[in-house]
Amino acid sequence: MRIGVITFPGSLDDVDAARAVRLAGGEPVALWHADHDLKDVDAVVLPGGFSYGDYLRAGAIAARAPLMQDVVTRARQGLPVLGICNGFQVLCEAGLLPGALTRNSHLHFRNRDQVLRVERDDTSWTGDYAQGQRIVIPVKNGEGRYVAAPADLDRLEAENRVVFRYVDGNPNGSLRDIAGVTSENGRVVGLMPHPEHAIEDLTGPSTDGLGFFTSVLKAVVTA
């Protein structure tokens, strides 16, 4: 399976995401933000970083990149898309996911290993987890506080679209401890923590992040 990884100016973790895809058994495909070519990939990862230096708002400029027009179109047709950290911000700015990511409530950059609880095990990116499972994934952000209007938060809860929650401490003040959300069809997922940094015992706090990438490979086969 071919999994595209988009590089924007200021992306930091595109190589890490590609490595995660490779370790999961997929073929990573490099995608450039300025192109109009998804290269016939089966899924797309928007990696972490600071696209365009986070000017205007984090992810706001990257959301208007030429390739994102194609990502939005294909995502609405069912293409699995994962947004990690800055990628999550881009997906929200592009209108593929609800809400927004704002400055951390304590106004500090936070970098630590974070416990998450899996709330949905039936999205394209979480099929290899169990609902209620706790996983350890690094978090590193300065603008990771998930916010939305109270009515929108209630709707997300009612529609069961919260995929991950922070447990054992909220690192950024996200409302309702939300760490990640999904689209209505469960094909698009965004989260602030970094699963691509938890794929090997040598370099990560766990290997819990590898399940994102093995999950989507199985989801593509069965789609």
Side-chain angles (χ1 to χ4, degrees), residues 142-216:
E143 297 182 46
R145 181 175 183 255
Y146 184 79
V147 299
D152 292 331
L153 291 170
D154 290 342
R155 178 172 55 83
L156 284 175
E157 300 276 14
E159 295 175 355
N160 195 27
R161 290 174 59 188
V162 177
V163 185
F164 298 97
R165 291 188 203 272
Y166 298 113
V167 295
D168 297 342
N170 185 327
N172 46 39
S174 290
L175 300 182
R176 304 192 190 184
D177 296 328
I178 293 173
V181 299
T182 188
S183 57
E184 292 182 4
N185 63 3
R187 306 285 280 178
V188 180
V189 169
L191 78 163
M192 286 309 296
H194 286 260
E196 79 283 11
H197 294 323
I199 58 171
E200 296 178 285
D201 288 323
L202 179 64
T203 58
S206 72
T207 59
D208 292 344
L210 193 60
F212 282 78
F213 305 96
T214 57
S215 293
V216 75

Side-chain angles (χ1 to χ4, degrees), residues 114-163:
Q114 178 66 46
V115 181
L116 306 178
R117 184 174 67 243
V118 179
E119 304 283 58
R120 288 276 303 272
D121 61 1
D122 60 346
T123 76
S124 295
W125 299 91
T126 59
D128 276 350
Y129 298 105
Q131 186 174 359
Q133 180 179 351
R134 293 191 175 200
I135 60 177
V136 179
I137 303 277
V139 64
K140 51 173 188 174
N141 61 71
E143 297 182 46
R145 181 175 183 255
Y146 184 79
V147 299
D152 292 331
L153 291 170
D154 290 342
R155 178 172 55 83
L156 284 175
E157 300 276 14
E159 295 175 355
N160 195 27
R161 290 174 59 188
V162 177
V163 185

Side-chain angles (χ1 to χ4, degrees), residues 61-82:
I61 299 177
R64 288 152 181 80
L67 190 62
M68 280 304 299
Q69 299 173 28
D70 303 294
V71 170
V72 169
T73 298
R74 289 289 312 282
R76 288 174 174 161
Q77 296 169 351
L79 180 74
V81 179
L82 176 66

Side-chain angles (χ1 to χ4, degrees), residues 5 60 102 218:
V5 179
T102 62
K218 295 174 183 177

